[in-house]
Amino acid sequence: MRIIENSEIAAALHYPALIDALRDMFVSGCTQPLRHHHGLDPENERKGTLLIMPAWQSGGFLGLKTVTVMPENGEKGLPSVQGTYLLFDANNGSALALMDAGELTTRRTAAASALAASYLALKDASKMLMVGAGAMAPCLIRAHAAVRDIREVTIWNHRTEKAEKLAAELTQEGFSAQAVTDLEAAARTADVISCATLSTEPLIKGTWLKPGAHLDLVGAFTPAMRESDDAAVGIASLFVDTREGGLNEAGDIVQPLNSGIIKEGNIRADLYDLCRVIHPGRESADEITLFKSTGAALEDLAAAILAYQANR
């Protein structure tokens, strides 16, 4: 069994190769059972949660991601979320590779957003606003730049110094990047807005979105979280990575559904539909599009296969 280090994962999962791998996997499909969710102490959720996410293609590869969520780890100086990914040969069951799930998940999440943008963002989109400056942010910017000619990047974060640090790093990579403190002004001029935050209150308002804007929502991964307001959801053409995730886990979709702002039928397509050309994606230059990502085991499997094949 091969142990694949984070540096090797990063080198293998570059863009646009990872974006293409995800597109191929959404076209071919795989088996991905419902995510297993186990509380380690049913009486006290702060004692930890175990998540298990399997996926496989018959006659190909089988993957298993395990994630532990330990809310009290911050007090111990340890990450609250940790995980591993184990890749098997689906023909004989032998273990092929073990890798850290963090790097894998960050990169495949950004690739999924860029994959959606390849169908939904304007062809000539050049201005991107990144909301949030955590680990996801640089990957999301680089991934979007692999599918659109992103020339200007603005970064907003609730801690401005983190946005400034990221802008400096991106400038060294050749981007025209700057930190901003006026979120509304930046949103009003952006062709692509990507959000990767832990916000429970809407950050982006529908009245800020210009005709033709594309809104990419990554951070609100529970029904209690929001990154966009009802106006944004109400005026946009809605797309999700998977319908199951969007309808059950994404606060930006679940809350407007529950309040009657939208109906399930308002979701135009998921990544299966887009990649299989069942839905054409953006249909006009003025259309405002919104993509909500919650993640899928299929995406992990595609990324793990690419990492393994590059390092075996």
Side-chain angles (χ1 to χ4, degrees), residues 19 23 112-121 123 144 147-148 214 275:
I19 299 168
R23 180 181 284 108
S113 284
L115 176 59
S118 72
Y119 296 100
L120 302 177
K123 296 295 184 183
H144 279 89
V147 299
R148 290 294 184 267
H214 172 61
C275 293

Side-chain angles (χ1 to χ4, degrees), residues 199-233:
S199 181
T200 56
E201 298 295 331
L203 294 169
I204 300 297
K205 298 181 180 181
T207 54
W208 299 352
L209 302 175
K210 70 177 186 178
H214 172 61
L215 181 57
D216 169 51
L217 304 177
V218 177
F221 51 84
T222 74
M225 302 171 77
R226 289 293 293 269
E227 291 183 312
S228 64
D229 70 356
D230 285 345
V233 176

Side-chain angles (χ1 to χ4, degrees), residues 120-234:
L120 302 177
L122 287 167
K123 296 295 184 183
D124 61 352
S126 62
K127 295 182 179 180
M128 179 175 179
L129 166 63
M130 183 69 235
V131 181
M136 278 300 314
C139 285
L140 282 162
I141 293 166
R142 294 172 190 136
H144 279 89
V147 299
R148 290 294 184 267
D149 186 16
I150 301 298
R151 299 173 187 172
E152 299 178 34
V153 179
T154 51
I155 305 163
W156 181 92
N157 192 65
H158 69 283
R159 288 174 54 192
T160 305
E161 64 272 19
K162 288 193 67 176
E164 291 172 341
K165 181 180 178 182
L166 177 56
E169 293 173 358
L170 291 168
T171 298
Q172 290 183 339
E173 294 180 21
F175 286 97
S176 174
Q178 64 174 333
V180 296
T181 56
D182 190 334
L183 180 58
E184 178 180 349
R188 286 185 178 278
T189 62
D191 301 316
V192 175
I193 302 172
S194 185
C195 300
T197 73
L198 297 177
S199 181
T200 56
E201 298 295 331
L203 294 169
I204 300 297
K205 298 181 180 181
T207 54
W208 299 352
L209 302 175
K210 70 177 186 178
H214 172 61
L215 181 57
D216 169 51
L217 304 177
V218 177
F221 51 84
T222 74
M225 302 171 77
R226 289 293 293 269
E227 291 183 312
S228 64
D229 70 356
D230 285 345
V233 176

Side-chain angles (χ1 to χ4, degrees), residues 45-49 68-75 78-81:
E45 64 180 21
R46 290 192 62 80
K47 292 301 181 182
T49 302
T68 55
V69 183
M70 303 292 189
E72 296 180 344
N73 270 8
E75 302 164 9
L78 297 171
S80 296
V81 180

